[in-house]
């Protein structure tokens, strides 16, 4: 699993391999400067003091003690100046690489989610997907720049330090490294608990996101039923679980760091005791003791850094795996290869022995056989849950049938490229979706290059123009989030204008007048009558008054076509449609 994860992560690092190599070079230079930091102090103790040791470098020989002290101090300042400047540059380089990787991963995840079918999205919690996009994608930066680079830096520093320490005193070096096996044993023992705690932390954070998203979307219902206190209690419980999971992870990471610090202290004490005795015996200079103890402190710092980074690695690994978990889901709507001609589809549609179910053994559509001729207007009616919306959803391939096929102009819709297919279909769906954009941008959502005159024409046909021009900025007025500043009927008319502007050869109207009054319904139907001329139109209707002018009416019940004919034909028979129609209008008469 780790190898697979590394290979997938590497794919996002490869485009920035040059910058990554620059970052590695910066790591090497930074560690070289870090290794130089204790040397000025050693030179002052061993070479500047009276009776000091011989100078190790030729270019320093011949200087007086005062000159040597000044030169060493200048060198110390230069070392720290170079180190500080290079650190700033290194941080910029690594953060830049990490953020670009996050952006690439986030873009791939968002694009992939858009191409998964509605069947997938119906199974998912929106809050969980939001958390994966907004938070889990950052894990790739932590997994590479915030873990790989620090570990690489620690390894480079340890190698350089080990080389110097061995030359100074092999015995002390061996004693300093003798504690490392204890550190690795600690790491192996805490590996599984830390990984488990990191996974639980991500999952609980996702639950909080999902709960917030659900409740904000349903705020009107929560307030209407005075469920604020109950929902607040649920949120606080989820928040406590999330924080408890995060605390467990922090505790495990702190435990590991504590063990590392304890073991490091034991190693330091052992080395200092032996080294001090060597100084007393004249086997080691004071300057070498100071240099060695400085390196000793620095020796355990990278080891402790690796331990700290390890906990972050576990957290980041879980986050990246959650992102790749979605990316690894195969598209259940395979892309076709065919495209429609420039003039568009003719518009003949056939459902050929189609069966579909959302859940196994719970069929929604059963052996549907239906032919709609090009330019024909067909109304689809039936009780709630009969499968009307599902039937038309198979046409733009929101779903694919398990049995049978849907064709346009004799070609299975699965053979078309999705973009080409959906550009042939104008849709007014339920509920009406309005974006927090201007009126013009909402109407032109499917045709952003449309001229203002075309947008206005579509708005007039949908009977929304008068409302738009009455606002402060007309067509440039921005609509509230989810159309909050509009009534349900106004949102409906706005989506109708959007479908009109698309000017597609096929129209799907899912209850286009369900949210408007009778007067507005008549005006909209007048506009739609002009719009549907020459276009294949499918109208899903609960209000049966809207289907009188349909060329054919299809009656669905329990996922099956039980009747089909013109309005006059069905009304002249003792049909299910006639009974439904009379019942609906008798109820309206009672009102």
């Amino acid at each position: 699993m780790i190898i697979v994860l590394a290979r997938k992560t590497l794919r996002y690092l490869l485009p920035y391999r040059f910058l990554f190599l620059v970052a590695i070079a910066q790591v090497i230079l930074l560690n070289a400067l870090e290794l130089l930091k204790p040397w000025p102090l050693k030179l002052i103790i061993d070479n500047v003091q009276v009776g000091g040791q011989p100078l190790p470098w030729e270019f320093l020989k011949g200087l007086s003690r005062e000159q040597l002290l000044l030169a060493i101090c200048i060198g110390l300042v230069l070392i720290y100046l170079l180190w500080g400047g290079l650190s700033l540059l290194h941080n910029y380089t690594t953060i830049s690489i990490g953020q670009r990787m996050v952006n690439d991963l986030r873009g791939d995840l968002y694009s992939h989610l858009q191409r998964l079918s509605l069947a997938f999205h119906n199974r998912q919690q929106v809050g969980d997907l939001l958390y994966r996009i907004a938070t889990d994608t950052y894990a790739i930066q932590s997994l590479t720049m915030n873990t790989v680079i620090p570990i690489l830096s620690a390894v480079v520093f340890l190698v350089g330090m080990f080389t110097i320490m061995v030359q100074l005193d092999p015995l002390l070096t061996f004693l300093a490294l003798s504690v490392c096996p204890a550190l690795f044993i600690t790491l192996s023992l805490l590996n599984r608990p830390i990984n488990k705690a990191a996974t639980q932390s991500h999952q609980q954070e996702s639950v909080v996101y999902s709960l917030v998203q659900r409740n904000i979307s349903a705020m009107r219902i929560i307030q209407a039923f005075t469920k604020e206190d109950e929902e607040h209690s649920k949120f606080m419980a989820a928040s406590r679980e999330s924080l408890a999971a995060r605390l467990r992870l922090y505790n495990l990471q702190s435990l590991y760091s504590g063990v590392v610090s304890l073991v490091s202290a034991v190693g330091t004490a052992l080395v200092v005791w032996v080294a001090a005795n060597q100084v007393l015996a004249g086997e080691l200079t004071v300057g070498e003791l100071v240099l060695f103890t400085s390196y000793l402190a620095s020796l355990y710092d990278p080891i402790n850094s690796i331990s700290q980074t390890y906990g972050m690695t576990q957290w980041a690994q879980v986050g990246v795996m959650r992102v790749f978990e979605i990316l690894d889901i195969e598209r259940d709507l395979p892309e076709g290869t065919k495209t429609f001609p420039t003039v568009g589809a003719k518009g003949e549609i056939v459902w050929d022995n189609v069966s579909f179910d959302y859940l196994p053994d719970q069929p929604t559509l059963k052996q549907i056989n239906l032919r709609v001729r090009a330019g024909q207007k067909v109304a689809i009616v039936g009780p709630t849950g009969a499968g009307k919306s599902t039937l038309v959803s198979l046409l733009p391939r929101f779903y694919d049938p398990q049995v049978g096929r849907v064709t346009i102009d004799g070609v299975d819709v699965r053979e078309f490229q999705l973009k080409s297919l959906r550009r042939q279909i104008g849709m007014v769906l339920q509920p009406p979706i309005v974006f927090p954009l201007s009126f013009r941008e909402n109407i032109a959502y499917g045709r952003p290059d449309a001229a203002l005159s075309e947008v206005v024409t579509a708005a007039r046909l949908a009977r929304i123009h008068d409302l738009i021009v009455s606002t402060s900025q007309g067509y440039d007025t921005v609509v509230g989030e989810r159309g909050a500043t509009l009534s349900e009927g106004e949102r409906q008319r706005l989506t109708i204008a959007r479908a009109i502007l698309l000017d597609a050869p096929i129209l799907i109207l899912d209850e286009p007048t369900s949210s408007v009054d009778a007067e507005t319904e008549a005006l909209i139907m007048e506009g739609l009558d002009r719009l549907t001329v020459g276009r294949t139109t499918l109208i899903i209707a609960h209000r049966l008054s809207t289907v009188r002018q349909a060329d054919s009416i299809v009656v669905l019940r329990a996922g099956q076509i039980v009747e089909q004919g013109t309005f006059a034909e069905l009304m002249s028979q003792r049909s299910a449609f006639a009974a439904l129609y009379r019942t609906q209008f008798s109820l309206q008469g009672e009102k």
Side-chain angles (χ1 to χ4, degrees):
M1 179 182 294
I2 299 299
I3 296 176
V4 174
L5 182 63
R7 186 170 64 248
K8 291 177 179 178
T9 303
L10 184 62
R11 183 164 63 87
Y12 287 89
L13 182 59
L14 283 177
Y16 311 107
R17 52 188 177 274
F18 174 74
L19 276 178
F20 187 68
L21 291 175
V22 170
I24 293 175
Q26 292 169 345
V27 164
I28 295 172
L29 290 174
L30 280 170
N31 282 288
L33 292 170
E34 191 73 38
L35 290 170
L36 285 175
K37 283 182 179 180
W39 279 91
L41 186 58
K42 176 192 181 301
L43 292 174
I44 290 173
I45 294 173
D46 285 348
N47 301 104
V48 176
Q49 66 176 343
V50 178
Q53 300 294 317
L55 288 166
W57 297 296
E58 288 292 332
F59 69 91
L60 292 176
K61 293 178 179 179
L63 296 177
S64 67
R65 283 191 175 89
E66 292 76 12
Q67 291 173 331
L68 180 59
L69 180 60
L70 179 61
I72 292 172
C73 291
I74 292 173
L76 181 64
V77 172
L78 287 176
I79 289 172
Y80 275 88
L81 185 62
L82 288 172
W83 184 87
L86 191 57
S87 292
L88 289 174
L89 182 60
H90 177 67
N91 288 338
Y92 174 80
T93 303
T94 54
I95 292 172
S96 176
I97 297 172
Q99 289 186 339
R100 293 181 192 184
M101 292 176 68
V102 169
N103 189 59
D104 292 344
L105 180 62
R106 185 176 286 176
D108 286 350
L109 178 59
Y110 187 75
S111 177
H112 188 68
L113 284 171
Q114 287 184 309
R115 284 164 174 75
L116 292 174
S117 72
L118 292 185
F120 164 83
H121 288 283
N122 290 340
R123 296 191 300 267
Q124 300 298 314
Q125 295 187 47
V126 175
D128 178 65
L129 296 180
L130 287 175
Y131 185 80
R132 294 185 196 232
I133 294 173
T135 302
D136 284 337
T137 49
Y138 272 108
I140 198 168
Q141 179 175 354
S142 298
L143 193 61
T144 52
M145 298 302 105
N146 298 344
T147 57
V148 172
I149 291 293
I151 290 175
L152 178 63
S153 177
V155 170
V156 170
F157 189 62
L158 286 172
V159 170
M161 191 184 309
F162 178 77
T163 303
I164 296 173
M165 290 172 68
V166 165
Q167 292 179 355
L168 288 173
D169 193 307
L171 174 61
L172 293 180
T173 304
F174 172 76
L175 291 175
L177 296 177
S178 63
V179 300
C180 290
L183 297 179
F184 292 127
I185 290 172
T186 303
L187 182 64
S188 62
L189 290 176
L190 291 177
N191 178 20
R192 188 182 297 274
I194 289 177
N195 188 49
K196 181 179 179 181
T199 301
Q200 290 175 343
S201 180
H202 275 278
Q203 290 172 343
Q204 290 301 325
E205 285 283 339
S206 176
V207 169
V208 172
Y209 265 67
S210 298
L211 190 62
V212 171
Q213 185 277 330
R214 185 193 72 191
N215 287 353
I216 288 178
S217 300
M219 191 59 67
R220 179 179 294 184
I221 298 297
I222 292 172
Q223 292 180 351
F225 287 87
T226 64
K227 304 290 284 185
E228 294 92 341
D229 292 341
E230 184 177 330
E231 292 300 335
H232 178 263
S233 297
K234 291 179 181 178
F235 171 79
M236 293 306 296
S239 179
R240 284 191 295 270
E241 284 294 324
S242 172
L243 294 174
R246 182 69 68 92
L247 181 60
R248 286 192 293 271
L249 176 62
Y250 286 160
N251 286 339
L252 286 170
Q253 292 172 342
S254 298
L255 174 62
Y256 179 70
S257 297
V259 173
V260 169
S261 298
L262 177 61
V263 174
S264 301
V266 172
T268 301
L270 179 62
V271 171
V272 168
W273 185 78
V274 174
N277 280 288
Q278 287 183 339
V279 170
L280 293 175
E283 298 172 359
L284 200 68
T285 68
V286 176
E288 288 173 338
L289 172 61
V290 171
L291 180 64
F292 203 92
T293 52
S294 296
Y295 279 150
L296 185 62
S298 298
L299 170 67
Y300 295 132
D301 279 345
I303 293 177
N304 191 48
S305 174
I306 291 174
S307 72
Q308 296 285 348
T309 303
Y310 177 75
M312 184 183 295
T313 301
Q314 297 303 305
W315 170 268
Q317 179 180 316
V318 172
V320 172
M321 288 174 63
R322 280 168 50 83
V323 175
F324 286 133
E325 182 182 36
I326 299 295
L327 289 173
D328 288 341
I329 296 175
E330 293 290 336
R331 288 178 59 178
D332 47 358
L333 295 176
E335 188 76 68
T337 57
K338 295 183 178 180
T339 59
F340 284 89
T342 306
V343 294
K346 295 177 182 177
E348 182 181 58
I349 306 168
V350 175
W351 283 261
D352 183 8
N353 195 37
V354 168
S355 294
F356 175 81
D357 58 69
Y358 293 103
L359 297 173
D361 302 323
Q362 295 183 26
T364 304
L365 297 175
K366 309 170 190 174
Q367 297 179 327
I368 298 293
N369 288 285
L370 174 64
R371 179 182 297 274
V372 179
R373 296 188 303 274
Q376 193 175 24
K377 185 191 300 182
V378 174
I380 303 171
V381 302
T384 300
K388 304 183 295 296
S389 294
T390 302
L391 179 68
V392 298
S393 292
L394 299 178
L395 185 60
R397 291 191 69 199
F398 292 152
Y399 311 96
D400 278 341
Q402 284 87 17
V403 179
R405 63 180 192 148
V406 181
T407 66
I408 296 179
D409 299 340
V411 181
D412 192 324
V413 293
R414 287 173 286 203
E415 297 182 28
F416 291 110
Q417 295 177 6
L418 283 171
K419 186 174 291 187
S420 178
L421 170 66
R422 290 170 181 171
R423 282 177 175 168
Q424 307 303 309
I425 306 169
M427 289 176 269
V428 177
L429 304 176
Q430 290 296 330
I433 302 299
V434 176
F435 300 98
L437 306 171
S438 68
F439 281 109
R440 178 176 182 175
E441 290 170 312
N442 264 289
I443 295 173
Y445 189 74
R447 280 185 58 200
D449 58 340
L452 178 59
S453 58
E454 296 176 287
V455 173
V456 172
T457 300
R460 289 184 183 279
L461 282 172
R463 296 299 188 264
I464 192 70
H465 172 75
D466 291 343
L467 168 71
I468 295 174
V469 296
S470 69
T471 60
S472 59
Q473 296 179 317
Y475 280 85
D476 292 324
T477 301
V478 176
V479 179
E481 184 75 28
R482 291 181 295 173
T485 55
L486 303 175
S487 69
E488 188 74 13
E490 289 165 347
R491 289 198 292 271
Q492 186 87 315
R493 281 180 279 165
L494 198 59
T495 60
I496 290 173
R498 184 187 299 156
I500 291 172
L501 183 64
L502 188 61
D503 196 26
I506 299 171
L507 281 175
I508 294 176
L509 307 176
D510 191 346
E511 302 181 52
T513 60
S514 63
S515 303
V516 298
D517 55 51
E519 182 180 355
T520 305
E521 176 186 358
L523 293 173
I524 291 176
M525 291 308 298
E526 178 186 346
L528 290 177
D529 285 341
R530 293 198 295 269
L531 171 68
T532 57
V533 173
R535 290 181 172 83
T536 306
T537 306
L538 304 171
I539 305 175
I540 297 175
H542 277 135
R543 293 166 70 162
L544 301 184
S545 58
T546 62
V547 305
R548 285 176 174 270
Q549 303 304 317
D551 299 313
S552 178
I553 299 172
V554 175
V555 183
L556 278 181
R557 178 172 292 171
Q560 294 179 301
I561 296 177
V562 294
E563 292 175 352
Q564 184 174 357
T566 65
F567 180 83
E569 290 170 346
L570 294 178
M571 289 300 294
S572 65
Q573 306 168 8
R574 290 187 173 181
S575 64
F577 173 80
L580 188 64
Y581 186 86
R582 294 189 184 101
T583 299
Q584 187 175 108
F585 277 88
S586 66
L587 290 173
Q588 290 178 357
E590 291 175 7
K591 293 178 182 178

